[in-house]
Amino acid sequence: MSRTPRPRRRVTLASLAAELKISRTTVSNAYNRPDQLSPELRERVLSAAKELGYSGPDPVARSLRTRRADTIGLLLDQPLSYSFRDPAAVDFVAGLANECDAAGRALLIVPAAPDHEPGAAADVVNKASVDGFVAYSVPENDPYFGAAMERHLPLVVCDQPAGIDGTVRVGIDDHAAMLALARIVLDLGHRSIGILAMRLGDSKRDGTTPLDAALASRYSVQRDRIQAIADAAAQQPHEVALTIIETASHTRESGARAAQAALDQDPGITALLCTTDVLALGAMTWAAEHGIVIPDELSVTGFDGTADAMRADLTTVVQPSEEKGQRAGEILMALAPSTGSREELLATSVHHGSTIAAPRRR
Amino acid sequence: MSRTPRPRRRVTLASLAAELKISRTTVSNAYNRPDQLSPELRERVLSAAKELGYSGPDPVARSLRTRRADTIGLLLDQPLSYSFRDPAAVDFVAGLANECDAAGRALLIVPAAPDHEPGAAADVVNKASVDGFVAYSVPENDPYFGAAMERHLPLVVCDQPAGIDGTVRVGIDDHAAMLALARIVLDLGHRSIGILAMRLGDSKRDGTTPLDAALASRYSVQRDRIQAIADAAAQQPHEVALTIIETASHTRESGARAAQAALDQDPGITALLCTTDVLALGAMTWAAEHGIVIPDELSVTGFDGTADAMRADLTTVVQPSEEKGQRAGEILMALAPSTGSREELLATSVHHGSTIAAPRRR
DNA sequence: TTGTACGCGTTATCAA
DNA sequence: TTGATAACGCGTACAA
């Protein structure tokens, strides 16, 4: 396999046309409107192009002229190496990418510097050559998101933030979904509950968080899920003690540590309701390592319905992550620049796994 | 949260300059060279920009002028939803994306249509506004890869294809790694081996593949690994029977089916050497469902060292997938357009898990 | 079927 | 410290 020889000088539409002694229009047409010139001429153009190492109209120049990049930008809350720890995020990106594939659009992942300086976020967002943005689960007041808003391009939000003027949101009813699950658990008779949640605050920290602080989080998804648990608890005929543990990072390991922290805080806890499957699986690992039998001695639930969770037969909320990505893409590509606000909620279900049971009698 | 009012007409550097009765250069400098104008004037420019909804120089026009997109393109063999079934691929992309983040570059995922028409591959590659490409594990003669070569941009290959003129390749020594693992297994005394491999042929098919066909595959990574097993087998003092099962898709489910197929083909098989962890985990699931005890009744090995595999304590080759992505990014960004060919092989190791043992006596 | 002329929005260069 | 001018490479009316 050998490469076409690298051109000495840059070959352009114009230089190619000059070489062939035809006009630039004709060369352009050879690529963009095959029906506008004779097949023979077109063939001559294409073969000369190959000869000279010209691989077609420059995409940047074309984009400038046509005002479209055929590319959509993806905004993430964190660097990809963190986001991808979460299978639900991976599924979302896969769904979105597939939709892009189908429409012949490329997907641009906007870099998210771990520690964003003030202007850096806007900078990197403004540098993205895209026709629109999808923001995946970013917190309220996120600087990247703010910068994307300022670009006045079509914008679709997945999950968070909700209620933003002039954007379309794709998501689920987090509150209703978690409410249903929490009721199932509480109705079994649990009175001391541990809640394991993802990051809630502005700074990264691990440990106990008061309920009111959790309900003031910028992460509305986490907030809604915790609110749902609180609501379900309030509806019980008896008091229910809630211990919330926040985890800065979102891994099984931090789930395990959070489980430990929860039971340190309140040894009477008989059920751990986790806001994600990853944390729940970590809690299960922790329990196994400490000889705690699930569900006999401890109930555990998750949220997401990832493949790993289903394999572990975790009792959890199943949400269509890949479909969310797909819908976000579909909507974005059908969107006029200034559409009114809209919300599209997809269906969820509860997977009745084998990780919950009535609390053991004392 | 409310959006800045959408501008009636498109605001540009020029229109903003006109509005302020200053030159375009000055506006440009306000963004790109803050030291080239007085702080007061700069402030005046920036606030007028905000007022009018101008979010800074158009990225496409800037790219045209500066001849750089600050974006690198990622070429995959398959649509993302397939690629992402493989945790090793996810890790690779995460590593690459992180490197891009650090360098302030965006990552463009080039769409790979499931069924590529003749010209579609070239089309989509030519439309990508990027400064260079990373190709991840694409087969020899892949049309997308060919099109990327024709663009004469910096190009880094991960894993496959090897030996391409004028490109840098990042990978591992697949043959050596698998040879080491295969010897360990064979030295335990196994004489009937099943090999579970990913796609080998041009068309998607499941089932038995003769050794010589496997060794003619366009997928050099699979080829090398299988060759290593064959070599290890040839070095044994006794005959070793090899049964190769090819799987079109790369999932645990197909791994399970392949395991079944292997033992249907040769019920005497006592060890399954899989070319990936995903297939090995599928084989383990299959064994569990059929009451076959691992490793007592069946030995199983994988390749990759994914998190799932490590959790299952699978005996496997561990390779640094995320680091491969990182190195690919580093090399690409330090690359001159026409560098000579080069190869960089990263280290691997064998994880001695609990899934192999000597074959059971008959 | 082909060619001409203009504009897309920016940055580099040089002059003031 | 600011401004004028010329590219960057292409798409597309419109005229021929």
Side-chain angles (χ1 to χ4, degrees), chain A residues 38-76:
Chain A
S38 65
E40 304 80 44
L41 180 54
R42 180 169 133 91
E43 200 37 62
R44 203 152 71 82
V45 172
L46 262 35
S47 73
K50 185 162 241 171
E51 191 84 18
L52 293 166
Y54 178 70
S55 50
D58 181 297
V60 174
R62 161 187 268 155
S63 284
L64 176 61
R65 184 63 242 221
T66 60
R67 303 302 316 154
R68 54 182 303 177
D70 279 339
T71 299
I72 82 170
L74 175 61
L75 249 42
L76 262 3

Side-chain angles (χ1 to χ4, degrees), chain B residues 56-77:
Chain B
D58 180 298
V60 174
R62 162 185 271 154
S63 284
L64 176 61
R65 183 63 237 216
T66 61
R67 304 298 320 151
R68 53 183 302 179
D70 280 339
T71 300
I72 81 172
L74 174 61
L75 248 42
L76 261 5
D77 178 26

Side-chain angles (χ1 to χ4, degrees), chain A:
Chain A
M1 210 175 198
S2 81
R3 313 184 73 159
T4 304
R6 187 149 202 290
R8 305 161 191 190
R9 284 172 209 140
R10 174 160 254 282
V11 183
T12 70
L13 203 71
S15 76
L16 183 58
E19 191 84 20
L20 288 168
K21 299 192 197 306
I22 58 177
S23 83
R24 296 191 314 235
T25 309
T26 303
V27 179
S28 176
N29 283 338
Y31 285 94
N32 302 321
R33 308 182 171 183
D35 54 316
Q36 294 294 302
L37 72 173
S38 65
E40 304 80 44
L41 180 54
R42 180 169 133 91
E43 200 37 62
R44 203 152 71 82
V45 172
L46 262 35
S47 73
K50 185 162 241 171
E51 191 84 18
L52 293 166
Y54 178 70
S55 50
D58 181 297
V60 174
R62 161 187 268 155
S63 284
L64 176 61
R65 184 63 242 221
T66 60
R67 303 302 316 154
R68 54 182 303 177
D70 279 339
T71 299
I72 82 170
L74 175 61
L75 249 42
L76 262 3
D77 178 26
Q78 310 166 75
L80 218 57
S81 57
Y82 293 100
S83 296
F84 277 4
R85 294 275 159 69
D86 185 357
V90 173
D91 287 345
F92 175 84
V93 175
L96 176 59
N98 257 45
E99 196 52 37
C100 289
D101 285 6
R105 255 85 152 189
L107 181 63
L108 185 81
I109 297 177
V110 176
D115 46 355
H116 24 225
E117 308 160 35
D123 232 55
V124 87
V125 168
N126 286 336
K127 269 170 55 176
S129 300
V130 299
D131 301 324
F133 286 104
V134 171
Y136 178 71
S137 207
V138 305
E140 291 161 11
N141 301 319
D142 180 75
Y144 291 89
F145 184 74
M149 293 272 305
E150 293 300 326
R151 286 202 52 187
H152 304 291
L153 293 172
L155 176 55
V156 172
V157 166
C158 181
D159 290 342
Q160 309 178 115
I164 303 296
D165 226 46
T167 68
V168 177
R169 187 172 83 94
V170 174
I172 59 170
D173 188 334
D174 284 286
H175 185 274
M178 188 56 115
L179 189 67
L181 181 59
R183 278 181 177 156
I184 292 170
V185 175
L186 288 171
D187 287 349
L188 290 171
H190 295 274
R191 297 185 177 212
S192 289
I193 302 289
I195 300 177
L196 273 40
M198 287 174 68
R199 180 174 174 181
L200 297 170
D202 290 354
S203 61
K204 292 200 172 194
R205 58 179 290 281
D206 285 298
T208 316
T209 299
L211 180 60
D212 55 350
L215 297 183
S217 170
R218 285 163 60 219
Y219 296 83
S220 64
V221 166
Q222 295 294 304
R223 209 172 57 206
D224 288 353
R225 294 180 189 171
I226 294 171
Q227 179 75 65
I229 299 172
D231 290 348
Q235 290 163 4
Q236 289 296 116
H238 47 255
E239 280 288 311
V240 176
L242 260 32
T243 302
I244 303 176
I245 307 292
E246 171 184 1
T247 61
S249 60
H250 185 222
T251 62
R252 290 198 192 198
E253 291 67 36
S254 57
R257 283 194 299 273
Q260 175 78 62
L263 275 106
D264 283 351
Q265 179 79 15
D266 177 0
I269 285 174
T270 56
L272 292 174
L273 304 196
C274 308
T275 62
T276 74
D277 284 349
V278 169
L279 296 177
L281 291 168
M284 288 176 68
T285 303
W286 171 84
E289 283 169 354
H290 289 73
I292 298 171
V293 178
I294 293 175
D296 304 6
E297 297 174 282
L298 184 69
S299 291
V300 176
T301 68
F303 200 112
D304 282 339
T306 64
D308 283 346
M310 302 310 269
R311 271 193 289 268
D313 199 26
L314 176 67
T315 297
T316 191
V317 171
V318 180
Q319 66 164 319
S321 296
E322 188 162 344
E323 189 187 341
K324 285 200 294 188
Q326 184 187 314
R327 280 302 292 151
E330 282 174 11
I331 292 171
L332 184 64
M333 295 193 268
L335 217 56
S338 62
T339 315
S341 312
R342 209 171 83 219
E343 220 169 43
E344 180 163 324
L345 300 184
L346 305 182
T348 61
S349 64
V350 171
H351 172 69
H352 296 270
S354 54
T355 59
I356 64 172
R360 178 190 266 186
R361 292 280 155 75
R362 305 277 155 125

